[in-house]
Amino acid sequence: MSLQLKLRFFGRCAYEPIWQQMRRFTDERSAQTVDELWLLEHEPVFTQGQAGKPEHLLRLRPDIPVVQSDRGGQVTYHGPGQVIAYPLIDLKRRGLSVRALVSRLEDSVVNCLKDYGIQAAAKPEAPGVYVDDKKIASLGLRVRKGYSFHGVAINFAMDLTPFLDINPCGYPDLAMVQVKDLLDPARLPSFESFQRKYAMMLALALGYSEQALVEEAV
């Protein structure tokens, strides 16, 4: 049994190639495959979850494609300045249920934000992380043969206006917020610093030690 976790930092990527790469990784992995955590940001895209309802996409935009994904949940937006974390995990090997994985993802975001003085919380009835009822992080997962892919998106320092063109995660009038708007500019970390801090906190939340983390080139 491998206790390692490979960290891969992809930079800024289009959604569909990364999605297909996650699917291939999941389809081809075995009980001996080392788990991975992918960190990146996406080019602008709206993604619909498996049960996504078209009425939650309020307006089509010629500059932002819509992709029908195989993750759970409804429609959301990804764009530059948003921290994306995709845990590709053997849940049985880690002793995690799907519900436990969701909780670990939410808790890791809450704890990361707390380190910057931001008070956030999860909601049992609405997956994700919120600050004063405004959503700062969205979750969408897929589990196949006991292996997880897709993950969490944290609004860090991005253009939030495309969220006005959708009912985020299927909730009309849900307001979005980001880290940049909650911190004094002098205290705002760089994207890369925040991304790495969150990667470490998520890895620890999933039960890996710092010594188990191996960063690999993409």
Side-chain angles (χ1 to χ4, degrees):
M1 177 189 299
S2 173
L3 297 178
Q4 284 189 331
L5 178 68
K6 293 182 181 179
L7 302 182
R8 298 187 186 273
F9 292 87
F10 283 81
R12 187 177 298 182
C13 310
Y15 181 82
E16 290 196 77
I18 287 290
W19 171 32
Q20 296 305 326
Q21 195 170 337
M22 280 193 295
R23 287 169 56 92
R24 286 195 300 274
F25 177 88
T26 302
D27 288 342
E28 296 170 3
R29 67 178 300 171
S30 69
Q32 287 71 47
T33 301
V34 175
D35 291 339
E36 300 195 2
L37 176 58
W38 295 3
L39 287 304
L40 56 131
E41 54 186 327
H42 280 307
E43 299 291 353
V45 63
F46 293 117
T47 66
Q48 276 277 31
Q50 281 187 302
K53 297 178 180 179
E55 59 263 33
H56 293 309
L57 186 60
L58 305 178
R59 286 174 292 276
L60 294 175
R61 293 177 49 143
D63 56 330
I64 302 179
V66 179
V67 176
Q68 187 70 43
S69 179
D70 60 351
R71 61 165 175 79
Q74 298 283 333
V75 66
T76 195
Y77 169 72
H78 298 309
Q82 187 182 58
V83 173
I84 305 289
Y86 290 144
L88 307 176
I89 305 297
D90 182 333
L91 296 182
K92 183 178 180 180
R93 186 166 64 198
R94 295 252 43 99
L96 294 172
S97 65
V98 178
R99 180 61 250 180
L101 176 59
V102 169
S103 295
R104 303 282 179 100
L105 287 168
E106 292 173 332
D107 290 347
S108 62
V109 175
V110 169
N111 292 331
C112 186
L113 294 175
K114 186 177 181 180
D115 274 8
Y116 293 100
I118 298 171
Q119 298 301 311
K123 290 185 176 183
E125 73 281 6
V129 177
Y130 301 80
V131 177
D132 295 331
D133 290 324
K134 296 180 180 179
K135 196 165 197 178
I136 195 167
S138 303
L139 272 67
L141 291 170
R142 178 75 188 273
V143 175
R144 190 155 64 208
K145 299 180 181 178
Y147 304 129
S148 69
F149 57 112
H150 295 293
V152 62
I154 307 171
N155 303 334
F156 179 73
M158 61 187 298
D159 177 10
L160 294 176
T161 57
F163 284 107
L164 299 175
D165 296 318
I166 61 175
N167 290 328
C169 305
Y171 293 95
D173 302 319
L174 176 61
M176 307 297 287
V177 70
Q178 59 185 332
V179 175
K180 178 183 177 182
D181 297 336
L182 300 171
L183 293 180
D184 183 282
R187 297 184 56 236
L188 183 69
S190 68
F191 180 92
E192 291 75 16
S193 173
F194 183 88
Q195 182 187 54
R196 285 186 172 275
K197 182 181 183 69
Y198 178 66
M200 177 65 68
M201 296 192 80
L202 176 55
L204 294 176
L206 293 173
Y208 300 94
S209 67
E210 288 190 41
Q211 294 72 29
L213 307 184
V214 179
E215 186 171 336
E216 291 210 354
V218 298

